[in-house]
Amino acid sequence: MGIETGSATEGDSSLTPTSIVVDAGAPGRPISRDLWGIFFEDINYSADGGLYGELVQNRSFDYSARDRPEWHALTGWSVRAEPADSGEVTLRTEDPVAPQSPHYAVLRTSVPAGSVALVNEGFDGINVAEGGSYRFSVYARSFSDAPAALRVELADEDGELIADLGFPSVSGQWESYEGVLTVDRSCGAARLVLTVDASAEVGVEVGVDFVSLFPTDTFAGERNGLRRDLAEAIAELKPRFVRFPGGCVAHGLGLQNMYRWKDTIGELPSRRQNFNIWGYHQSMGIGYFEYFRFCERIGAKPLPVLAAGVCCQNTEGGPQAIPDDEMDDYVQEVLDLVEFANGPVDSLWGARRAELGHPEPFGLEYLAIGNEDKVNAVFRNRFERIYQAVRGKHPELTLIGTAGPSPFGDDYEQGWSFARDLAVDLVDEHSYKSPKWFFENLDRFDAYDRGGPGVYLGEYGSKGNTMLNALAEAAYMMGMERNGDIVRLASYAPLLAKVDRTQWVPDLIYFDNERVLPSLNYYVQQMHATAVGDHSLPVTVTGGPQFTRPPQREASVSVRAADADVAFTGLRLNGSEPLSAAVDAETTSFRFPVGTEDEDYTITLQACQTRGDEGFAVAFGDVDGPDHFEWSFGTWKNRFLSLYYRADGDLDEAVEPIPFSVETDRLYDLEIRVLGRGRRITCLLDGVVVHDVTSPDPIEERFSATAVRDSDTGTVHVKIVNATDRAVRTSLAITGVTGATGASRTTLTAPPGAGAAFEPAPAVPVGSRCDLSEPVSVEPYSFTILSLPA
């Protein structure tokens, strides 16, 4: 996952001539040393089954229908008895190991010399390596007068033994039993088998809980540790900070699902597990202590995100607030986290930290309050109470507010206004947009108010893993860096995604049980983070290649529904004869045989959904090409009405979504008015205007260059994005630097459509040397960094 070394061809006279002038003698604009970080949220099985090293799924028998409707306390386990009727497994809650984890399994043999076993297949199989050592542990107790023993085995897919160990005597009280299994051959889908054998005379009953298996080779060798290869891939990003635990996980679906940090520290059985907002289970094996330790291990600063006293606005019935009479306790909980991180060992929570093995403070500098919240009156009340308490007691902390889920709209405007009123240090913006939007907004932060709060771009991504997506992010990051005095922190999201267990695409790093699959986007992040500076320098680009998006061709109409039955009737395009169509589970889309070459046109139709929860969409414009518009009804689990622009195949909101749910068997009258092939779009629902969007002719800056200086070393890094199909012959002049004729060069390049989710990146950064006394060639669709020594 590092940089390869290779060669680059310079001075090709057929290349487009371009001049780049860097004023290295200028004071420059300051850049935060902490600018590039990462955001870890337990989405896409990022924690359990991912970064967390535990190999046993549902180790504490606490899965339930709260996690998923079909799940229960034995999900992930199967039962095997020999002979077939010689035993059973039941679940109990009386006298558990810990009240926070009430369920445990009881293995009961009912006949002499019989056996009963629990079999766990882990998270899509247990991957073990030949010669590897795996630490097994279990809490167990006997409920029988007869002697009871446990056998532990690792077996392959065919049931053949790979490793085993035994515990010949289980006591009548809960005790922890531990041993190491050494594997004699590799297996990607091993099973853990836990067996109780009856004595020769009578059956036995043994309770088990917290059945655990960890590789001994975890990251940093820690017992409750992290999967080494994934942790190392994260460390190789050189993050300056790590945001945790969310995202939506932080404030949860409902108050009972809110992430409470005190529930995540201490002995594993005493941690309060919870359902995951993304549809699975959180064991809390990676809690706040493990998080702080990981930050310390990789040299990153912690950036915790705590709920602002309200749960996620996507909760059924809307966001709910912690009751007023409980807010003082919650505010104290926030202050206690600061003490846990930074307090002396003679403080209450500093002493707790020391008990866990870390007497030294963790050096917390940043604290975020809230995530994408609806900025209403109750949010303002809860946020301000937390903010004022923390600000009053800990003025040394940098506090971060929130401005909704989009880089525009109501919550964005109100969130920023509220943050300015309170003089919050930073505001957390989120931008999940298309490459087109990023290339149009490279100068977004140029006009931000330098006298107000700074920006933390806490979540961003360009909706794909192709080279074009990676280049859009590289260029946007250059825009952030150029405005490093206002954009002080940034983190791509999401970070991790497990193949076949993913709720959100795209992501930075994909993985399965055996492989780590960094994306092209990952290498962009790594290149930026390893070529940092503390000042951005003035750069002038002359003669760079220009990009013009091809105009939309003939306008037409299509309809679709992902999982619904919808009848579309009476469609007219500029008064054409009425047409009808139906979409269902088999026919998910339909392209109407009608079109117009007019720049201005009107579409009218009726829609009625008779089955399904996910709504429907009407596409218009050049629907046969990669760029057109989509009006979507019932997006995000039938919650919103959205107008999208599809650019280069990626959907992007043209305007803030509106709360809306499709009603079954209701007839909707739809009207779409288009002027100038999309410069203005007006959408009417049942005769009422719901969207009215005017778009100027934006400029997509597909070729750009910036430069930063590292004052500690004197190194100047020149960064160039060429997201066009033309190679560039660059005359690079760096004023204010003497004697520098050579530079190290790092280039990432691939065809614009190369790269995809769940696949390894089709290219990696290549390192070389170049002579700056000669023109420098810049390849099409490339991100290049030239590093000049002092």
Short mmCIF file of all heavy atoms in Angstrom, two decimals, residues 649-705:
data_model
loop_
_atom_site.label_atom_id
_atom_site.label_comp_id
_atom_site.label_asym_id
_atom_site.label_seq_id
_atom_site.Cartn_x
_atom_site.Cartn_y
_atom_site.Cartn_z
N GLY A 649 -22.79 9.42 -14.63
CA GLY A 649 -23.37 8.22 -14.05
C GLY A 649 -23.66 8.30 -12.57
O GLY A 649 -24.28 7.40 -12.00
N ASP A 650 -23.22 9.38 -11.87
CA ASP A 650 -23.41 9.50 -10.42
C ASP A 650 -24.57 10.44 -10.11
O ASP A 650 -24.66 11.55 -10.65
CB ASP A 650 -22.14 10.05 -9.76
CG ASP A 650 -20.99 9.08 -9.82
OD1 ASP A 650 -21.23 7.88 -9.60
OD2 ASP A 650 -19.85 9.52 -10.07
N LEU A 651 -25.46 10.02 -9.21
CA LEU A 651 -26.57 10.86 -8.78
C LEU A 651 -26.10 11.91 -7.79
O LEU A 651 -25.27 11.64 -6.92
CB LEU A 651 -27.65 10.01 -8.11
CG LEU A 651 -28.68 9.31 -9.00
CD1 LEU A 651 -29.66 8.54 -8.13
CD2 LEU A 651 -29.41 10.30 -9.88
N ASP A 652 -26.67 13.11 -7.90
CA ASP A 652 -26.32 14.19 -7.00
C ASP A 652 -27.54 15.08 -6.78
O ASP A 652 -28.27 15.40 -7.73
CB ASP A 652 -25.18 15.03 -7.61
CG ASP A 652 -24.46 15.86 -6.57
OD1 ASP A 652 -24.79 15.72 -5.38
OD2 ASP A 652 -23.57 16.63 -6.95
N GLU A 653 -27.78 15.47 -5.53
CA GLU A 653 -28.93 16.33 -5.25
C GLU A 653 -28.75 17.68 -5.92
O GLU A 653 -27.74 18.35 -5.72
CB GLU A 653 -29.12 16.53 -3.75
CG GLU A 653 -29.49 15.28 -2.98
CD GLU A 653 -28.27 14.55 -2.46
OE1 GLU A 653 -27.13 14.93 -2.83
OE2 GLU A 653 -28.44 13.60 -1.68
N ALA A 654 -29.75 18.11 -6.69
CA ALA A 654 -29.74 19.45 -7.27
C ALA A 654 -30.26 20.47 -6.28
O ALA A 654 -30.01 21.68 -6.43
CB ALA A 654 -30.58 19.48 -8.54
N VAL A 655 -30.99 20.00 -5.27
CA VAL A 655 -31.57 20.88 -4.26
C VAL A 655 -31.79 20.03 -3.01
O VAL A 655 -31.79 18.80 -3.07
CB VAL A 655 -32.90 21.48 -4.78
CG1 VAL A 655 -33.96 20.42 -4.94
CG2 VAL A 655 -33.39 22.62 -3.90
N GLU A 656 -31.97 20.66 -1.87
CA GLU A 656 -32.16 19.94 -0.62
C GLU A 656 -33.41 19.07 -0.69
O GLU A 656 -34.48 19.53 -1.10
CB GLU A 656 -32.28 20.92 0.55
CG GLU A 656 -32.36 20.25 1.91
CD GLU A 656 -32.43 21.26 3.05
OE1 GLU A 656 -32.86 22.40 2.80
OE2 GLU A 656 -32.06 20.91 4.17
N PRO A 657 -33.33 17.78 -0.31
CA PRO A 657 -34.51 16.91 -0.33
C PRO A 657 -35.61 17.44 0.60
O PRO A 657 -35.36 18.11 1.59
CB PRO A 657 -33.97 15.57 0.18
CG PRO A 657 -32.50 15.62 -0.10
CD PRO A 657 -32.10 17.05 0.08
N ILE A 658 -36.85 17.11 0.25
CA ILE A 658 -38.03 17.54 1.00
C ILE A 658 -38.63 16.32 1.68
O ILE A 658 -38.79 15.27 1.06
CB ILE A 658 -39.07 18.17 0.06
CG1 ILE A 658 -38.48 19.38 -0.65
CG2 ILE A 658 -40.33 18.57 0.82
CD1 ILE A 658 -39.36 19.90 -1.79
N PRO A 659 -39.02 16.40 2.97
CA PRO A 659 -39.70 15.27 3.61
C PRO A 659 -40.97 14.90 2.83
O PRO A 659 -41.81 15.75 2.52
CB PRO A 659 -40.04 15.81 5.00
CG PRO A 659 -39.02 16.88 5.26
CD PRO A 659 -38.77 17.51 3.91
N PHE A 660 -41.09 13.60 2.53
CA PHE A 660 -42.23 13.16 1.71
C PHE A 660 -42.28 11.63 1.74
O PHE A 660 -41.25 10.96 1.69
CB PHE A 660 -42.05 13.63 0.26
CG PHE A 660 -43.09 13.10 -0.70
CD1 PHE A 660 -44.31 13.73 -0.83
CD2 PHE A 660 -42.84 11.97 -1.45
CE1 PHE A 660 -45.27 13.25 -1.71
CE2 PHE A 660 -43.78 11.47 -2.33
CZ PHE A 660 -45.01 12.12 -2.46
N SER A 661 -43.50 11.08 1.83
CA SER A 661 -43.70 9.63 1.76
C SER A 661 -44.76 9.33 0.71
O SER A 661 -45.83 9.97 0.70
CB SER A 661 -44.13 9.07 3.11
OG SER A 661 -43.12 9.24 4.08
N VAL A 662 -44.49 8.37 -0.14
CA VAL A 662 -45.45 7.95 -1.15
C VAL A 662 -46.58 7.19 -0.46
O VAL A 662 -46.33 6.27 0.33
CB VAL A 662 -44.80 7.06 -2.21
CG1 VAL A 662 -45.83 6.58 -3.22
CG2 VAL A 662 -43.68 7.81 -2.92
N GLU A 663 -47.81 7.54 -0.76
CA GLU A 663 -48.98 6.85 -0.23
C GLU A 663 -49.46 5.82 -1.25
O GLU A 663 -49.63 6.12 -2.44
CB GLU A 663 -50.10 7.84 0.06
CG GLU A 663 -49.76 8.87 1.13
CD GLU A 663 -50.88 9.86 1.35
OE1 GLU A 663 -52.06 9.51 1.07
OE2 GLU A 663 -50.60 10.98 1.79
N THR A 664 -49.65 4.61 -0.78
CA THR A 664 -50.12 3.54 -1.67
C THR A 664 -51.53 3.84 -2.21
O THR A 664 -52.38 4.35 -1.48
CB THR A 664 -50.13 2.20 -0.90
OG1 THR A 664 -48.82 1.95 -0.41
CG2 THR A 664 -50.56 1.05 -1.81
N ASP A 665 -51.71 3.54 -3.50
CA ASP A 665 -52.99 3.69 -4.20
C ASP A 665 -53.45 5.14 -4.34
O ASP A 665 -54.63 5.39 -4.63
CB ASP A 665 -54.10 2.88 -3.50
CG ASP A 665 -53.83 1.39 -3.55
OD1 ASP A 665 -53.30 0.93 -4.57
OD2 ASP A 665 -54.14 0.70 -2.56
N ARG A 666 -52.53 6.07 -4.16
CA ARG A 666 -52.90 7.48 -4.39
C ARG A 666 -52.38 7.91 -5.76
O ARG A 666 -51.24 7.61 -6.12
CB ARG A 666 -52.30 8.36 -3.31
CG ARG A 666 -52.55 9.84 -3.57
CD ARG A 666 -52.05 10.73 -2.47
NE ARG A 666 -52.12 12.14 -2.87
CZ ARG A 666 -51.78 13.15 -2.10
NH1 ARG A 666 -51.35 12.93 -0.87
NH2 ARG A 666 -51.85 14.39 -2.55
N LEU A 667 -53.22 8.63 -6.50
CA LEU A 667 -52.83 9.14 -7.81
C LEU A 667 -52.20 10.51 -7.66
O LEU A 667 -52.80 11.43 -7.07
CB LEU A 667 -54.05 9.23 -8.73
CG LEU A 667 -53.76 9.65 -10.18
CD1 LEU A 667 -53.00 8.55 -10.91
CD2 LEU A 667 -55.08 9.98 -10.90
N TYR A 668 -50.95 10.63 -8.16
CA TYR A 668 -50.22 11.89 -8.09
C TYR A 668 -50.14 12.50 -9.48
O TYR A 668 -49.81 11.82 -10.46
CB TYR A 668 -48.80 11.68 -7.56
CG TYR A 668 -48.73 11.23 -6.12
CD1 TYR A 668 -48.60 9.88 -5.80
CD2 TYR A 668 -48.78 12.15 -5.08
CE1 TYR A 668 -48.53 9.46 -4.48
CE2 TYR A 668 -48.71 11.75 -3.75
CZ TYR A 668 -48.59 10.39 -3.46
OH TYR A 668 -48.51 9.98 -2.15
N ASP A 669 -50.44 13.82 -9.57
CA ASP A 669 -50.26 14.57 -10.81
C ASP A 669 -48.88 15.21 -10.79
O ASP A 669 -48.54 15.96 -9.86
CB ASP A 669 -51.33 15.66 -10.93
CG ASP A 669 -52.68 15.10 -11.34
OD1 ASP A 669 -52.72 14.33 -12.30
OD2 ASP A 669 -53.67 15.42 -10.66
N LEU A 670 -48.07 14.91 -11.82
CA LEU A 670 -46.70 15.41 -11.89
C LEU A 670 -46.55 16.31 -13.11
O LEU A 670 -47.06 16.01 -14.19
CB LEU A 670 -45.71 14.24 -12.00
CG LEU A 670 -45.92 13.03 -11.08
CD1 LEU A 670 -44.84 11.99 -11.34
CD2 LEU A 670 -45.96 13.44 -9.63
N GLU A 671 -45.83 17.41 -12.91
CA GLU A 671 -45.51 18.30 -14.02
C GLU A 671 -44.07 18.78 -13.87
O GLU A 671 -43.65 19.18 -12.78
CB GLU A 671 -46.45 19.51 -14.04
CG GLU A 671 -46.19 20.44 -15.22
CD GLU A 671 -47.17 21.59 -15.29
OE1 GLU A 671 -48.20 21.56 -14.57
OE2 GLU A 671 -46.92 22.55 -16.06
N ILE A 672 -43.32 18.69 -14.97
CA ILE A 672 -41.91 19.10 -14.98
C ILE A 672 -41.73 20.12 -16.11
O ILE A 672 -41.98 19.81 -17.27
CB ILE A 672 -40.98 17.90 -15.22
CG1 ILE A 672 -41.20 16.81 -14.15
CG2 ILE A 672 -39.52 18.36 -15.19
CD1 ILE A 672 -40.56 15.48 -14.49
N ARG A 673 -41.29 21.32 -15.75
CA ARG A 673 -41.03 22.37 -16.74
C ARG A 673 -39.53 22.59 -16.82
O ARG A 673 -38.87 22.84 -15.81
CB ARG A 673 -41.72 23.66 -16.34
CG ARG A 673 -43.22 23.55 -16.16
CD ARG A 673 -43.79 24.81 -15.53
NE ARG A 673 -45.22 24.68 -15.24
CZ ARG A 673 -45.89 25.54 -14.47
NH1 ARG A 673 -45.26 26.60 -13.94
NH2 ARG A 673 -47.18 25.35 -14.23
N VAL A 674 -38.98 22.49 -18.03
CA VAL A 674 -37.54 22.60 -18.25
C VAL A 674 -37.27 23.75 -19.22
O VAL A 674 -37.87 23.82 -20.30
CB VAL A 674 -36.95 21.29 -18.82
CG1 VAL A 674 -35.45 21.43 -19.03
CG2 VAL A 674 -37.25 20.12 -17.89
N LEU A 675 -36.37 24.65 -18.83
CA LEU A 675 -35.95 25.75 -19.69
C LEU A 675 -34.45 25.62 -19.96
O LEU A 675 -33.67 25.30 -19.04
CB LEU A 675 -36.23 27.10 -19.03
CG LEU A 675 -37.70 27.43 -18.69
CD1 LEU A 675 -37.79 28.79 -18.01
CD2 LEU A 675 -38.55 27.42 -19.96
N GLY A 676 -34.06 25.88 -21.21
CA GLY A 676 -32.64 25.87 -21.56
C GLY A 676 -31.96 24.55 -21.29
O GLY A 676 -30.82 24.51 -20.82
N ARG A 677 -32.66 23.44 -21.59
CA ARG A 677 -32.12 22.07 -21.40
C ARG A 677 -31.67 21.82 -19.96
O ARG A 677 -30.78 21.02 -19.71
CB ARG A 677 -30.96 21.80 -22.36
CG ARG A 677 -31.36 21.72 -23.82
CD ARG A 677 -30.26 21.10 -24.66
NE ARG A 677 -30.58 21.11 -26.06
CZ ARG A 677 -31.30 20.18 -26.67
NH1 ARG A 677 -31.80 19.18 -25.98
NH2 ARG A 677 -31.55 20.27 -27.96
N GLY A 678 -32.27 22.54 -19.02
CA GLY A 678 -31.99 22.25 -17.63
C GLY A 678 -31.42 23.40 -16.84
O GLY A 678 -31.14 23.26 -15.65
N ARG A 679 -31.26 24.59 -17.51
CA ARG A 679 -30.78 25.74 -16.74
C ARG A 679 -31.79 26.14 -15.68
O ARG A 679 -31.43 26.66 -14.64
CB ARG A 679 -30.48 26.92 -17.67
CG ARG A 679 -29.25 26.67 -18.54
CD ARG A 679 -28.53 27.98 -18.82
NE ARG A 679 -27.28 27.71 -19.52
CZ ARG A 679 -27.18 27.65 -20.84
NH1 ARG A 679 -28.25 27.84 -21.59
NH2 ARG A 679 -26.02 27.40 -21.41
N ARG A 680 -33.06 25.90 -15.94
CA ARG A 680 -34.09 26.09 -14.92
C ARG A 680 -35.05 24.91 -14.99
O ARG A 680 -35.52 24.54 -16.06
CB ARG A 680 -34.84 27.40 -15.09
CG ARG A 680 -35.89 27.61 -13.99
CD ARG A 680 -36.55 28.97 -14.06
NE ARG A 680 -37.50 29.13 -12.96
CZ ARG A 680 -38.26 30.21 -12.78
NH1 ARG A 680 -38.17 31.24 -13.62
NH2 ARG A 680 -39.09 30.27 -11.76
N ILE A 681 -35.33 24.33 -13.80
CA ILE A 681 -36.26 23.21 -13.70
C ILE A 681 -37.27 23.54 -12.62
O ILE A 681 -36.91 23.88 -11.49
CB ILE A 681 -35.52 21.90 -13.35
CG1 ILE A 681 -34.51 21.55 -14.43
CG2 ILE A 681 -36.52 20.77 -13.16
CD1 ILE A 681 -33.65 20.36 -14.09
N THR A 682 -38.55 23.42 -12.98
CA THR A 682 -39.63 23.63 -12.03
C THR A 682 -40.47 22.36 -11.97
O THR A 682 -40.93 21.87 -13.02
CB THR A 682 -40.52 24.82 -12.45
OG1 THR A 682 -39.71 25.97 -12.64
CG2 THR A 682 -41.56 25.11 -11.38
N CYS A 683 -40.64 21.82 -10.78
CA CYS A 683 -41.39 20.58 -10.60
C CYS A 683 -42.64 20.87 -9.77
O CYS A 683 -42.55 21.47 -8.69
CB CYS A 683 -40.55 19.53 -9.89
SG CYS A 683 -39.08 19.01 -10.80
N LEU A 684 -43.80 20.44 -10.28
CA LEU A 684 -45.06 20.64 -9.60
C LEU A 684 -45.66 19.29 -9.23
O LEU A 684 -45.74 18.37 -10.07
CB LEU A 684 -46.05 21.41 -10.47
CG LEU A 684 -45.72 22.87 -10.79
CD1 LEU A 684 -44.76 22.97 -11.98
CD2 LEU A 684 -47.01 23.65 -11.09
N LEU A 685 -46.08 19.16 -7.99
CA LEU A 685 -46.73 17.96 -7.50
C LEU A 685 -48.17 18.32 -7.13
O LEU A 685 -48.39 19.18 -6.26
CB LEU A 685 -45.98 17.42 -6.27
CG LEU A 685 -46.59 16.20 -5.58
CD1 LEU A 685 -46.66 15.00 -6.53
CD2 LEU A 685 -45.78 15.84 -4.33
N ASP A 686 -49.11 17.70 -7.82
CA ASP A 686 -50.53 18.03 -7.62
C ASP A 686 -50.78 19.53 -7.74
O ASP A 686 -51.53 20.14 -6.96
CB ASP A 686 -51.02 17.52 -6.26
CG ASP A 686 -51.04 15.99 -6.19
OD1 ASP A 686 -51.18 15.36 -7.25
OD2 ASP A 686 -50.90 15.45 -5.08
N GLY A 687 -50.12 20.15 -8.73
CA GLY A 687 -50.32 21.55 -9.03
C GLY A 687 -49.56 22.52 -8.15
O GLY A 687 -49.64 23.74 -8.35
N VAL A 688 -48.77 22.01 -7.19
CA VAL A 688 -48.01 22.87 -6.27
C VAL A 688 -46.52 22.76 -6.60
O VAL A 688 -45.99 21.66 -6.75
CB VAL A 688 -48.25 22.45 -4.80
CG1 VAL A 688 -47.40 23.31 -3.85
CG2 VAL A 688 -49.72 22.56 -4.45
N VAL A 689 -45.84 23.92 -6.71
CA VAL A 689 -44.41 23.92 -6.99
C VAL A 689 -43.65 23.40 -5.77
O VAL A 689 -43.76 23.94 -4.67
CB VAL A 689 -43.92 25.34 -7.34
CG1 VAL A 689 -42.40 25.36 -7.48
CG2 VAL A 689 -44.59 25.83 -8.62
N VAL A 690 -42.87 22.33 -5.97
CA VAL A 690 -42.07 21.77 -4.88
C VAL A 690 -40.57 21.96 -5.11
O VAL A 690 -39.78 21.95 -4.15
CB VAL A 690 -42.38 20.27 -4.68
CG1 VAL A 690 -43.78 20.08 -4.12
CG2 VAL A 690 -42.21 19.47 -5.97
N HIS A 691 -40.13 22.11 -6.37
CA HIS A 691 -38.74 22.41 -6.70
C HIS A 691 -38.74 23.50 -7.75
O HIS A 691 -39.51 23.45 -8.71
CB HIS A 691 -37.99 21.19 -7.27
CG HIS A 691 -38.03 19.96 -6.43
ND1 HIS A 691 -37.56 19.92 -5.14
CD2 HIS A 691 -38.49 18.72 -6.71
CE1 HIS A 691 -37.73 18.69 -4.66
NE2 HIS A 691 -38.29 17.94 -5.59
N ASP A 692 -37.85 24.47 -7.59
CA ASP A 692 -37.65 25.49 -8.62
C ASP A 692 -36.17 25.84 -8.58
O ASP A 692 -35.71 26.60 -7.73
CB ASP A 692 -38.51 26.72 -8.35
CG ASP A 692 -38.56 27.67 -9.55
OD1 ASP A 692 -37.89 27.37 -10.56
OD2 ASP A 692 -39.25 28.70 -9.47
N VAL A 693 -35.41 25.24 -9.50
CA VAL A 693 -33.96 25.30 -9.45
C VAL A 693 -33.42 26.00 -10.69
O VAL A 693 -33.76 25.63 -11.82
CB VAL A 693 -33.35 23.89 -9.35
CG1 VAL A 693 -31.83 23.97 -9.25
CG2 VAL A 693 -33.93 23.13 -8.17
N THR A 694 -32.60 27.00 -10.46
CA THR A 694 -31.92 27.68 -11.56
C THR A 694 -30.43 27.42 -11.43
O THR A 694 -29.84 27.64 -10.37
CB THR A 694 -32.18 29.20 -11.54
OG1 THR A 694 -33.59 29.42 -11.65
CG2 THR A 694 -31.47 29.88 -12.68
N SER A 695 -29.81 26.95 -12.51
CA SER A 695 -28.38 26.63 -12.49
C SER A 695 -27.66 27.48 -13.53
O SER A 695 -28.03 27.46 -14.71
CB SER A 695 -28.15 25.15 -12.80
OG SER A 695 -28.81 24.33 -11.86
N PRO A 696 -26.64 28.23 -13.11
CA PRO A 696 -25.84 28.96 -14.09
C PRO A 696 -24.97 27.99 -14.88
O PRO A 696 -25.03 26.77 -14.67
CB PRO A 696 -24.98 29.88 -13.22
CG PRO A 696 -24.83 29.11 -11.94
CD PRO A 696 -26.13 28.37 -11.75
N ASP A 697 -24.16 28.52 -15.77
CA ASP A 697 -23.22 27.68 -16.50
C ASP A 697 -21.97 27.52 -15.64
O ASP A 697 -21.05 28.34 -15.71
CB ASP A 697 -22.83 28.33 -17.82
CG ASP A 697 -23.70 27.80 -18.94
OD1 ASP A 697 -24.24 26.71 -18.78
OD2 ASP A 697 -23.83 28.51 -19.95
N PRO A 698 -21.90 26.50 -14.77
CA PRO A 698 -20.73 26.36 -13.90
C PRO A 698 -19.51 25.91 -14.69
O PRO A 698 -19.61 25.26 -15.73
CB PRO A 698 -21.16 25.30 -12.91
CG PRO A 698 -22.15 24.47 -13.65
CD PRO A 698 -22.84 25.39 -14.62
N ILE A 699 -18.35 26.26 -14.16
CA ILE A 699 -17.08 25.87 -14.78
C ILE A 699 -16.51 24.70 -14.00
O ILE A 699 -16.30 24.78 -12.80
CB ILE A 699 -16.08 27.04 -14.78
CG1 ILE A 699 -16.62 28.20 -15.62
CG2 ILE A 699 -14.72 26.58 -15.29
CD1 ILE A 699 -15.76 29.45 -15.55
N GLU A 700 -16.28 23.60 -14.69
CA GLU A 700 -15.62 22.45 -14.08
C GLU A 700 -14.12 22.59 -14.29
O GLU A 700 -13.63 22.47 -15.42
CB GLU A 700 -16.14 21.15 -14.69
CG GLU A 700 -17.59 20.86 -14.37
CD GLU A 700 -18.05 19.54 -14.95
OE1 GLU A 700 -17.37 18.52 -14.70
OE2 GLU A 700 -19.07 19.53 -15.65
N GLU A 701 -13.43 22.84 -13.20
CA GLU A 701 -11.99 23.06 -13.29
C GLU A 701 -11.30 21.70 -13.22
O GLU A 701 -10.94 21.21 -12.15
CB GLU A 701 -11.52 23.97 -12.15
CG GLU A 701 -10.15 24.54 -12.36
CD GLU A 701 -9.78 25.58 -11.29
OE1 GLU A 701 -10.67 25.97 -10.51
OE2 GLU A 701 -8.61 25.96 -11.25
N ARG A 702 -11.09 21.08 -14.36
CA ARG A 702 -10.54 19.72 -14.43
C ARG A 702 -9.01 19.71 -14.41
O ARG A 702 -8.41 18.64 -14.30
CB ARG A 702 -11.05 19.02 -15.68
CG ARG A 702 -12.55 18.75 -15.71
CD ARG A 702 -12.95 17.67 -14.72
NE ARG A 702 -14.32 17.23 -14.90
CZ ARG A 702 -14.68 16.12 -15.54
NH1 ARG A 702 -13.77 15.33 -16.07
NH2 ARG A 702 -15.95 15.80 -15.64
N PHE A 703 -8.37 20.88 -14.56
CA PHE A 703 -6.91 20.96 -14.43
C PHE A 703 -6.62 22.04 -13.40
O PHE A 703 -7.05 23.18 -13.54
CB PHE A 703 -6.23 21.31 -15.75
CG PHE A 703 -4.72 21.31 -15.67
CD1 PHE A 703 -4.00 20.16 -15.96
CD2 PHE A 703 -4.02 22.44 -15.27
CE1 PHE A 703 -2.61 20.13 -15.88
CE2 PHE A 703 -2.63 22.43 -15.18
CZ PHE A 703 -1.93 21.27 -15.48
N SER A 704 -5.90 21.67 -12.34
CA SER A 704 -5.60 22.64 -11.28
C SER A 704 -4.27 22.29 -10.63
O SER A 704 -3.80 21.15 -10.70
CB SER A 704 -6.71 22.66 -10.23
OG SER A 704 -6.88 21.38 -9.64
N ALA A 705 -3.67 23.30 -9.99
CA ALA A 705 -2.39 23.11 -9.31
C ALA A 705 -2.35 23.95 -8.05
O ALA A 705 -2.90 25.07 -8.01
CB ALA A 705 -1.23 23.49 -10.23
#
